[in-house]
Amino acid sequence: MSTSTDLVRHDRAFRTRGSSDIMKPSLAGLIGKYILLFAVLALMVFPFLWQLSTSFKGASENIYDFPPTIIPQEPTLSNYAEVFRTIPVLSYAWHSLLVGVGTVVSNIIFATLGGYALGCLKFRGKGIIMAIFFSTLLLPGEVTLTSQYLTVKSLGLANTLWGVFLPGAISAINVLLIAAACRMIPPDVLDAATIDGANTFQRLRHIVWPNIRGMVSVIALFAFIGAWDDFLWPLVVLSDPAKYTLTVGMQYLNSNFAANPRVIAAGTMIALVPIIILFATLQKQFFRGVEEGGVKQ
């Protein structure tokens, strides 16, 4: 009987009075932790739920009721139909997809090569290059907006999707993240591979890549989200409405339907759906990759 009682106490999620298990919180601490967790969850999830609910509400429903009603009384898809009638959603989404996929591919390739050089190789001026990479993180994107536009314009890429893609083709933070992951690989393993005759590509393929896949999945997901959600740069580069990305095209709803937040909410949900699907599909690989560690044999 005492054994079963001890087992129940051991399985408890909190520390009982007089217990020496300091790794578990007290009952009050456990309750406080969950209260704080649900409060943060409500602050983060409620705006999304309100926006989703608004997109399904008809013109007869007051979206500013207090307390707000999350479940629409008369759900309708007319707001979504209005969005598709107003702007070419599929065309704009295709443009955003092209830019997003291109940004992911280029960031994976260049960040992997640059991170490997900064994290695993020894050469003169490495500290200066690292300092330059870090210094770029201190500048907000708006500071370099003019110089980026002039560069893109001089290349003849203004008002093109190539011009939208080019500045995000590689990010300094992604290179630094891959470099940090590469530094976790024991140098002895790379030296042993070099002695055995492995060239640079073979070291990257068989030693470096298995150990940085987690970080690569992180930068790939964030690169796509950043490219898909980017609004300011495509707005500056693109002047032809036929070439707009989805976020810029959705801004057209704010000008035409400023008095109808239901249509604007529907447009916001349309732009958000691909991100939700992407993360829901890849979250297992994302978190599994982040947790991977050690050198693979």
Side-chain angles (χ1 to χ4, degrees), residues 186-204:
D188 294 341
V189 177
L190 293 171
D191 293 340
T194 303
I195 294 174
D196 290 339
N199 56 33
T200 301
F201 176 77
Q202 289 171 331
R203 292 195 298 271
L204 276 169

Side-chain angles (χ1 to χ4, degrees), residues 142-154:
E142 292 76 10
V143 174
T144 59
L145 190 67
T146 302
S147 61
Q148 286 180 352
Y149 177 74
L150 293 177
T151 302
V152 168
K153 186 178 180 180
S154 65

Side-chain angles (χ1 to χ4, degrees), residues 168-201:
I170 181 61
S171 173
I173 185 62
N174 291 339
V175 175
L176 295 175
L177 288 174
I178 295 296
C182 288
R183 281 196 294 269
M184 301 301 293
I185 303 173
D188 294 341
V189 177
L190 293 171
D191 293 340
T194 303
I195 294 174
D196 290 339
N199 56 33
T200 301
F201 176 77

Side-chain angles (χ1 to χ4, degrees), residues 12 32 65 69 71 87 110 115 135-136 202 250 292 295:
R12 286 176 176 173
D65 281 339
T69 56
I71 301 177
I87 61 175
F110 295 130
S135 64
T136 60
Q202 289 171 331
M250 288 300 174
E292 287 180 352
V295 178

Side-chain angles (χ1 to χ4, degrees), residues 42 50-51 54 56 66 101 120 122 125 134-135 154 179 203 209 220 222 225 235 270 278 288 291 297:
W50 187 84
Q51 193 83 341
T54 301
F56 287 105
F66 187 84
V101 172
C120 298
K122 297 179 181 179
F134 277 112
S135 64
S154 65
R203 292 195 298 271
W209 180 259
F222 289 158
I225 293 175
L235 181 65
I270 292 174
L278 178 68
R288 186 185 300 117
E291 293 171 358
Q297 300 297 331

Side-chain angles (χ1 to χ4, degrees), residues 41-139:
L41 181 65
L43 289 174
M44 296 179 64
V45 174
F46 179 77
F48 169 77
L49 293 178
W50 187 84
Q51 193 83 341
L52 179 63
S53 172
T54 301
S55 68
F56 287 105
K57 289 182 178 180
S60 60
E61 295 188 58
N62 185 6
I63 62 175
Y64 300 112
D65 281 339
F66 187 84
T69 56
I70 298 299
I71 301 177
Q73 298 176 359
E74 299 178 359
T76 178
L77 295 175
S78 60
N79 299 321
Y80 289 89
E82 187 65 34
V83 173
F84 278 90
R85 283 194 299 267
T86 305
I87 61 175
V89 174
L90 297 181
S91 177
Y92 290 167
W94 174 246
H95 296 163
S96 294
L97 183 63
L98 290 176
V99 175
V101 172
T103 302
V104 169
V105 173
S106 62
N107 271 273
I108 290 177
I109 295 175
F110 295 130
T112 299
L113 297 177
Y116 169 73
L118 293 176
C120 298
L121 302 183
K122 297 179 181 179
F123 54 91
R124 287 186 177 182
K126 181 178 176 179
I128 297 176
I129 295 177
M130 290 288 289
I132 293 174
F133 271 99
F134 277 112
S135 64
T136 60
L137 302 179
L138 302 177
L139 298 175

